[in-house]
Amino acid sequence: QVQLVESGGGLVQPGGSLRLSCAASGSIFSIYAMGWYRQAPGKQRELVAGITSGGSTNYADSVKGRFTISRDNAKNTVYLQMNSLKPEDTAVYYCNARIGMVSSWGQGTQVTVSS
């Protein structure tokens, strides 16, 4: 099973940018579908962006055109580039790795968008 560690969260002003990273270890990273999820206080966890083992991507409507997911299989890392951040993007962001019925989660990284 893969282990995941997120980094790159922090406090940013509205309109700013952040890049989240998720480093994977313990398994063959390239075969996993990867995703970024987020959970705001009092809300359910939601999918932000996903990328398949083949590189196909999908995004939540709320982040289309602002966020970009990518992966570097040589570095066992998936990224989430977040631009034009809004206060409603404030949440804990989680990395997920999935293959078949097996799913692994990172510990999460806090993103706060505030002036």
Side-chain angles (χ1 to χ4, degrees), residues 14-94:
S17 297
L18 282 176
R19 188 176 80 155
L20 305 183
S21 299
C22 172
S25 62
S27 189
I28 305 173
F29 174 76
S30 63
I31 66 175
Y32 283 81
M34 302 298 297
W36 285 97
Y37 290 72
R38 67 186 180 188
Q39 188 166 18
K43 295 187 176 182
Q44 290 189 332
R45 192 173 297 189
E46 62 175 357
L47 176 67
V48 175
I51 185 166
T52 68
S53 58
S56 298
T57 59
N58 64 288
Y59 297 91
D61 287 343
S62 59
V63 307
K64 282 181 181 177
R66 300 188 298 121
F67 291 10
T68 303
I69 188 171
S70 61
R71 65 191 298 163
D72 185 338
N73 290 337
K75 295 183 177 180
N76 286 1
T77 301
V78 63
Y79 304 97
L80 185 67
Q81 178 66 44
M82 305 186 294
N83 299 327
S84 302
L85 282 161
K86 305 175 180 180
E88 50 263 44
D89 295 317
T90 296
V92 178
Y93 283 71
Y94 297 91

